[in-house]
Amino acid sequence: MANFGSWTTPITSELVVRAAAGLGGVSIHGDTVTWAEQRPEEGGRTQLVRRTGGGPAVDLLPAGANARTAAHEYGGGAWWVAGDTLWFTDWADQRLYTLTGSEPPVPMTPEPEMPRGDRWADGCVTADGRWALLVREHHPAGGGPAAVVNEIVVLDVSGRLAPRVLVSGTDFVSDPRLSPDGARLCWLQWSHPDMPWDGTELCVAGLAADDTGPVLGSVTVVAGRPDSAPGGTGAGESVSEPRWADDGALWFISDRTNWWNLYRWLPAVDRVEAMVTLDAEIGGPQWVFGQSSYAFLSGGRIAFVSSRDGLGYLAVRLADGRIVDLDVPYTSFASIRADGDRIVFIGASATTEPAVVAVSVDDAGSVTSSEMLRAPRDLGLGTEWFSTPEPISFPTSGGRTAHALFYPPTNPDATGDPGELPPLLVLIHGGPTGAARPMLQLGTQYWTSRGFAVVDVNYGGSTGYGRAYRNQLRRQWGVVDLDDCEAAARWLAEQGRVDPARLCIRGGSAGGYTTLAVLAFRDTFAAGASHYGVADLEALATETHKFESRYLDGLIGPYPERRDLYVERSPIHHVDGFDRPLIVLQGLEDEVVPPNQAEMIVDALRAKGVPVAYVAFEGEQHGFRQAPNIRRALESELSFYAQVFGFPLPEGEHVAPVSVHNL
């Protein structure tokens, strides 16, 4: 028996990052599968890996290359495959490159007027290979977020002609996709103050060609609707992931009936049909380019992933319209792709990290074969070390019900002292339009194997529970999220599952804001950890990048008209409310939440005499990607809790101490 928090565990910070790889997008062409791996031990760069048939997995990018776009700051859609050619945006200069065979990468876009000023993403290539159509985010020299221009551009693959704008006029565009016959182009567009989960428009135009490449005809909006009322009321329609089927129908995801479900548009009769309607979410918020939540199989079947009660499910819509859940051992899915009878995806479960998986299905929707193309790393641990998530629902403010995934402390070699209850870490996901992920994350098991309980809260505003639930956060950020994270902690304490005197809260980005706000305005929690969290909403509204520069209109209210709410809900203006220990962790190259916000709150707490620790990371952006920094962040937070609650650190494990001022 040992104090909760001090249990000896093999899940160290070193194990969390050793050989870790975050798996990204997947592409399939016949028996060749390509995928992305983010590698903390290589400085956080994204490598592209290819496997053909039963052969070995082969790295494609040369040393130093990093397939990552900075478009929208969050990226996605940084690479794609066309025939034998790989296209990718390199992080260092944001230029677009092609890679064929063993030849060095060839730059396909000109040098921008300012370094990294043109950011490329989300492309497709015409059938003859002559033209590429893709998104360009242009940052003019000396301009701020308002000067950034997002357009769909035609690129001459031969290099003879300069890039030419094809679609412009709205604040944002994404998903340029060519019909099978090349006669039509579709894309998504939206403008401020909407975010893509508020309201987008799915546009289609005829496509002709002249000596300068593809030329658009008249444009038709076939689905989607902006959030119509000023400031947004939830009346819009969010459309995402448009994709042409071989028969010329255009499929897409829409939340027109509360849930993101599957529809198709039939050009011949100009009609939209519902194809999969479930009380479940297909797809998710479009934070990044290139998401894929469904794919076309042979014989008129569709593979798709949905989310119900916080867990993911992979299913097939058969040719006759029946839905069959596939018998696969995963609870989290991403990047669904297909070719013939074969589905390739990134799958994870409560006891396995993400893997690249291929399954084959027959006409009845039964899995006939399964193959792991890129297995999870070998952790050398049995499943008894892993705490598995328990979906919970609990009452919260206004008669609402909120949701979460609860992880009890789990360690086969340790138990708590008699009469002692475990400390609780309330984990707040980012976004705030996001969701808890129901998959094995060693960053969570790092805590549960030490004797902490963890609850990952899907507060009102989270995705996975329909548009109405998502809209609970409209004008209520800094209210509903605080209510729900407090309600989760108190409910678990009332159930006798956690120690009510040791309730802690931690989160990154928007989750960091909730952490700071609940410590400033409420008294439920004994300590908190903010990872690159927002301290000053007004500064965020005026200093952040273009993609999110009007996000707060819907979450709080239009700025500057409702400046009073921004000040009222900003922790930096209410430092008198802080009286609980806090650790702040911040990347110094973060352009989403600039470092000055972290420094303002830390300086204020130091001056006030509140226990506070500050750890800054050179070379990190919004989120920590480099292995040494991931380790340091975990160890600093553990050292912080050990000092605050007075429990010993695990025997035999070196944990770098952190300095806590005013403790």
Side-chain angles (χ1 to χ4, degrees), residues 102-116:
S102 59
E103 296 297 317
V106 177
M108 299 300 294
T109 54
E111 289 275 5
E113 61 180 303
M114 63 174 284
R116 306 177 87 241

Side-chain angles (χ1 to χ4, degrees), residues 155-194:
L155 190 67
D156 179 6
V157 175
S158 72
R160 291 194 293 268
L161 301 176
R164 174 173 59 83
V165 175
L166 190 66
V167 176
S168 63
T170 56
D171 289 323
F172 302 99
V173 288
S174 73
D175 295 87
R177 302 291 184 262
L178 289 162
S179 61
D181 60 5
R184 289 186 175 93
L185 177 74
C186 75
W187 68 92
L188 294 174
Q189 65 183 30
W190 69 97
S191 290
H192 288 314
D194 285 348

